Amino acid sequence: MAFATRTDLLARSNARRLAQLAVPADRDMVPHDALRAVIAGADLTEYTAQDQASLALALDAIDKALNDSDALILSYGIPATVQTTLLARLASTIALYYLQNAERMDKTETSAYEAAIATLKAHARGELNLVPALPTDPVPDGDVISISSNSQRFGGGATVSAGDW
């Protein structure tokens, strides 16, 4: 199961930009809303044979970028079965970066990609959990709050639990 779909990618971008990134440069650009329509399920036979070929190549490029994005996310220890809007956003950001092939990158796009990778790295280090709890996961008993201080900052290494208040 994919972390993001073509529709997710389109929702986080726009049809014109996706077409510019995904239609090969040696092909004529497809009609303005053709890629949006095809992603939404429109029949390719509405378009000329040349547009059909370009749209098929664009969809193939989009699918490859999404698959590469999925593979990267899986490499950070996220199970393929996890579906969240955050993971869809991360996968879309990474796929858009891959579609650009490091061409025409501006600081915003590079920063978004680097932030997505930093989030995945934080998950891999255990600092952030991108896998939501399942309804079958056990619920902690009582108030489980643990506050620890840095001994250099507050003069002690005390740990306080909620029941101690």
Side-chain angles (χ1 to χ4, degrees), residues 40-141:
D43 189 11
L44 280 173
T45 58
E46 298 177 22
Y47 302 100
T48 66
Q50 184 176 357
D51 286 345
Q52 287 179 29
S54 294
L55 286 166
L57 290 170
L59 291 175
D60 186 51
I62 289 169
D63 290 343
K64 285 179 182 172
L66 287 168
N67 288 335
D68 289 347
S69 174
D70 287 347
L72 180 68
I73 292 171
L74 288 170
S75 75
Y76 283 96
I78 306 213
T81 56
V82 176
Q83 296 293 304
T84 66
T85 55
L86 176 58
L87 285 173
R89 177 169 293 286
L90 294 174
S92 296
T93 299
I94 294 165
L96 282 169
Y97 183 85
Y98 288 160
L99 278 170
Q100 292 185 60
N101 292 319
E103 295 175 12
R104 301 177 307 272
M105 292 277 188
D106 64 23
K107 185 172 174 74
T108 304
E109 293 158 338
T110 303
S111 295
Y113 172 78
E114 289 170 354
I117 297 301
T119 301
L120 293 171
K121 286 180 179 180
H123 171 81
R125 288 189 304 265
E127 298 169 357
L128 177 68
N129 188 359
L130 296 174
V131 180
L134 298 173
T136 57
D137 288 349
V139 178
D141 290 336

